[in-house]
Amino acid sequence: MKKIFYLSVILLSMVLVSCDEDDNVHQYTGNSIVYFDGATTSSLLVPTAGATKEVVLVATSLSDAARSFSVSVDAESTAQEGVDFNLVTNSITIAAGEYSGTLVIEGLYDGADPDGTRLILNLDSENAEVAGFSNSYNLDIFKQCESDLSGSYSVTTTYGYHDFLPDYNPNTIDADITEVDAGVYSVSDFSGGLYSEGPYADEYLTDTADNTLVFTDFCGNISWEGQTDPWGDIIPLDGGTNSVDEETGVITISWYCTGYGENGVSVYTPQ
C-alpha cells in the first residue's frame, strides 16, 4: 500500500508542475504576434556628443518577406520629438527570416532636460497583431552634463554686508578650484579674501580657520549644503546668481552667512 500511495503522489506532482508550466507559456495561433523585447522601461543619458538607444521588437514567427511595424508616441509622453529626442524612423522592420528588428531613438543634448522627460512608445495594431503584454515602451531621457571647473581663477567679490564696509569692497584675489568628486569642487576661501586675508582675518579669525566652500556643478547650476563659517551656516544668497556661463567659463557664486549676515557675490574668471 505504501508503494501505491507514493506513486500516486509523484504522478499528481508531475501533473501539477506540468499545468503550472503551461500557464506560463504564451500560446498564440494564427498571425504572428509582436511585442517589445526585454525590459520595457529604461533610461538614456545624453552627453554633449549625443547618444542613441536601440529598442528591440520581437515577432513570434518567421516570414519569407521583410515586415514593418509602426510605432506612435503616446499622448502622455513628456518628451517632445525634435526637442529632446528624434526617431530615426517611426517603424521597426524585421528582415526576412528573422524574429526581431530594432528601432533607434536619438537623444538631443540641447533640448534634453537634466531632470528627465519620458518618452512612451506604443505599438500600432493596424498592421500587426499586438501581444497583450510589452506593447508599450518607456524611455526616460536625461541630459548628461559634463563638468570641468578645476583650475585657477581671478575672483572679484562685491560685498552686500560685512563689519568693515565701505572699506574692503570690492576685493579681488587669485584662487584655485579643486575637484573633489565628479561635479563636486572646493575653493579655499568662499568669502573672496574677507575671511582669509582681509579685516576678518585680522580681527576675528586665527590662521587655522577653515573657510572652504564645497559646491556642486550640475548642468551649470551651482549649489551646496551643509557649509558653515565660524558663526553659522553659509547658504546661497536669496535671489542671487549661482551658475556657470557655458560660453565663457565664468562662475558666479552668491553667498550668505546666517550667523551675522555677511554676504557677497563672487565672480570667478578663468585665468
Side-chain angles (χ1 to χ4, degrees):
M1 289 295 292
K2 288 183 179 179
K3 291 181 179 180
I4 295 174
F5 174 75
Y6 290 153
L7 180 60
S8 298
V9 171
I10 292 171
L11 290 173
L12 178 60
S13 298
M14 292 175 64
V15 170
L16 291 174
V17 170
S18 176
C19 290
D20 288 341
E21 290 178 349
D22 287 343
D23 288 342
N24 291 327
V25 175
H26 298 286
Q27 298 179 349
Y28 299 103
T29 59
N31 296 331
S32 181
I33 307 299
V34 294
Y35 57 92
F36 290 116
D37 189 31
T40 54
T41 298
S42 64
S43 298
L44 175 61
L45 299 178
V46 187
T48 53
T52 58
K53 180 75 175 183
E54 290 190 351
V55 179
V56 178
L57 182 70
V58 171
T60 58
S61 66
L62 295 173
S63 173
D64 293 334
R67 297 164 288 173
S68 292
F69 303 95
S70 59
V71 297
S72 60
V73 178
D74 193 281
E76 296 297 319
S77 293
T78 56
Q80 300 180 53
E81 188 165 9
V83 177
D84 39 15
F85 79 93
N86 275 332
L87 295 178
V88 177
T89 65
N90 62 354
S91 64
I92 303 175
T93 298
I94 298 179
E98 299 290 340
Y99 281 106
S100 64
T102 59
L103 173 72
V104 178
I105 303 168
E106 177 188 16
L108 303 178
Y109 177 82
D110 288 341
D113 190 332
D115 294 328
T117 56
R118 170 163 284 193
L119 168 63
I120 306 173
L121 294 177
N122 296 325
L123 283 173
D124 293 337
S125 58
E126 293 181 0
N127 63 341
E129 187 172 349
V130 177
F133 62 96
S134 300
N135 50 26
S136 290
Y137 186 89
N138 302 319
L139 182 66
D140 294 320
I141 304 171
F142 297 89
K143 175 178 285 189
Q144 184 181 21
C145 301
E146 298 176 358
S147 179
D148 184 17
L149 303 185
S150 295
S152 298
Y153 293 81
S154 174
V155 184
T156 297
T157 301
T158 302
Y159 299 96
Y161 173 75
H162 63 65
D163 288 351
F164 300 93
L165 290 178
D167 297 330
Y168 206 82
N169 187 42
N171 186 61
T172 299
I173 62 171
D174 292 333
D176 292 331
I177 292 180
T178 304
E179 185 176 35
V180 296
D181 203 348
V184 181
Y185 302 90
S186 69
V187 61
S188 60
D189 181 11
F190 75 92
S191 71
L194 177 66
Y195 281 22
S196 63
E197 59 187 48
Y200 274 44
D202 297 332
E203 298 293 334
Y204 303 138
L205 303 176
T206 68
D207 293 338
T208 59
D210 184 5
N211 305 311
T212 301
L213 179 70
V214 177
F215 62 90
T216 298
D217 168 35
F218 183 69
C219 293
N221 295 309
I222 300 296
S223 63
W224 68 86
E225 58 183 14
Q227 303 295 290
T228 62
D229 72 0
W231 305 284
D233 294 333
I234 308 166
I235 63 174
L237 180 65
D238 187 25
T241 298
N242 285 285
S243 64
V244 182
D245 187 304
E246 293 186 1
E247 293 185 1
T248 64
V250 171
I251 304 167
T252 302
I253 297 179
S254 303
W255 49 271
Y256 178 84
C257 298
T258 61
Y260 292 101
E262 292 87 355
N263 66 85
V265 178
S266 299
V267 178
Y268 292 69
T269 301
Q271 291 184 331

